[in-house]
Amino acid sequence: MAVPQIRNAGPGYEWKAVALLSLAFGLVGLDRWIIAPLAPAIIADLGISPPLINALIAILGVTWGIAAVAMGSLSDRIGRRKVMLPAILIFSIASGLSGLAAGFTSLLLIRGFMGIAEGAFCPTSFASTAEASNPSRIGFNQGLQQSMFALFGLGFGPILATWLLGFTSWRGVFAIVMLPGVILTVLLWMVIREPDTITDKRQATTKASVSEVLKVRNVQISMVGLLCAMCGIFVLSANTPIYLASYLKLTPIQVGLVTSAIGFGGFVGQWVLPALSDIFGRRPMAVLGFVGGAAFVYLFMNIGAQPMQLFGALFAATVFSFGLLSLLTGPVAAESAPAGMVSTAAGLIIGVGEIFGGGLALLVAGYVIATYGIQYMLYLALGGLVFGAFLMLGLAETAPRKVKRNA
């Protein structure tokens, strides 16, 4: 399906919209993952146990997924701005309120509420990026947008958090990271416009239903595929520092170095894999993403306490696996959706991936770790990626260049 475009948009609209939406999604990643480097300070202050940090990460994934399904569909009906602008303001304020938590329960509730707002922003912003983009650059632009999540959340986030802790508490860090979201809300309000399918009421009345979106083969495959990819990504992101410290006995500095590979590898993968799919096709890049991710996770599992080799293997594994996130929820969702239902398709894919891959998979990983040992969580990540590789063989090609060439 052709992605609807912005009516009468000037030549500079694409780069302004993509730049702001990229920064905003980077802020989503920062707000979501900054809790990990702040965890030791939170544990010491609130007196909670380390396993509960996994629960604080998981609850956001579950509420994110539920909201993505509901709010993605809503934005296709009432418009991007009415969903996106309140969402970014609310999750930014919720991030600031995290610093006021008096205990685990209140922090859990705030994180869950923040997940609802971020889940609303996610598919809506992906649709807005696709609609602002030239069709030949959808993969490149959506890859750029989604790569900011890993760069800010898992790359720069730990560095920023530990630097800020040098002169403020973990509560102060949450308050500081709230401010950019307020500024971006204003800038997005000034720039973002609605697509033709929403501004034209005659087209809006003919939109497909959610049930019709669920019948699209690529949407079905991408829903399960994102679950598989997130099973690998989030299990690694949440538990690699513990694995390196407790199982491989690396020093804290070595743990920080190796773990940073997740953020920087994710940044490269989330941008490069969708960009390459503009040229080589969505299906080949999806298969390559799962195969490459599985191969390097297996390599990572079999490297001993060698920090540089571990960094290289983990960097490569996340290049491939994180690239799948932006590929499946970005161009594949946008190009497979029925007319006027881009955000709905992205929301459904994100919802299943987040609830099961980003939420429940972490709880399964916690059980595996408690029952068998920290090293066995790697088999859970590997299994998800291997299954996803076979699944992607059934994906239908949607890249404009490839479709035109095949026709």
Side-chain angles (χ1 to χ4, degrees), residues 173-395:
V173 174
F174 279 122
I176 291 170
V177 299
M178 172 184 68
L179 300 177
V182 177
I183 297 171
L184 278 171
T185 301
V186 176
L187 294 175
L188 287 167
W189 174 79
M190 295 170 62
V191 171
I192 295 300
R193 299 169 62 178
E194 301 290 3
D196 294 355
T197 51
I198 293 173
T199 56
D200 190 331
K201 294 181 180 179
R202 289 173 299 175
Q203 291 186 37
T205 58
T206 62
K207 287 177 185 174
S209 65
V210 173
S211 62
E212 289 179 71
V213 178
L214 284 170
K215 294 177 183 177
V216 178
R217 185 178 70 173
N218 272 12
V219 173
Q220 297 171 349
I221 292 175
S222 296
M223 288 167 68
V224 183
L226 193 67
L227 188 162
C228 296
M230 283 191 164
C231 181
I233 291 163
F234 284 90
V235 169
L236 284 174
S237 298
N239 297 291
T240 291
I242 304 172
Y243 168 76
L244 297 172
S246 64
Y247 185 74
L248 294 184
K249 308 298 183 184
L250 299 187
T251 66
I253 293 177
Q254 291 172 330
V255 170
L257 170 67
V258 175
T259 304
S260 70
I262 298 175
F264 297 114
F267 164 68
V268 173
Q270 284 191 286
W271 191 356
V272 170
L273 202 69
L276 290 176
S277 76
D278 283 339
I279 303 170
F280 300 107
R282 314 302 184 203
R283 182 173 175 269
M285 289 299 103
V287 174
L288 178 63
F290 277 107
V291 171
F296 282 102
V297 167
Y298 180 78
L299 179 62
F300 180 78
M301 292 167 58
N302 290 281
I303 296 174
Q306 305 292 328
M308 296 311 298
Q309 294 180 35
L310 288 167
F311 179 94
L314 191 58
F315 179 90
T318 51
V319 164
F320 287 105
S321 55
F322 264 86
L324 293 163
L325 296 187
S326 49
L327 179 60
L328 296 178
T329 63
V332 171
E335 294 161 350
S336 302
M341 301 292 283
V342 174
S343 187
T344 301
L348 289 168
I349 295 168
I350 294 164
V352 171
E354 284 285 355
I355 293 169
F356 295 99
L360 297 182
L362 286 174
L363 301 181
V364 174
Y367 171 79
V368 170
I369 292 168
T371 306
Y372 302 104
I374 184 66
Q375 69 275 23
Y376 286 95
M377 61 88 185
L378 294 169
Y379 288 96
L380 180 62
L382 179 63
L385 294 170
V386 169
F387 183 81
F390 289 100
L391 189 68
M392 289 302 106
L393 295 174
L395 198 70

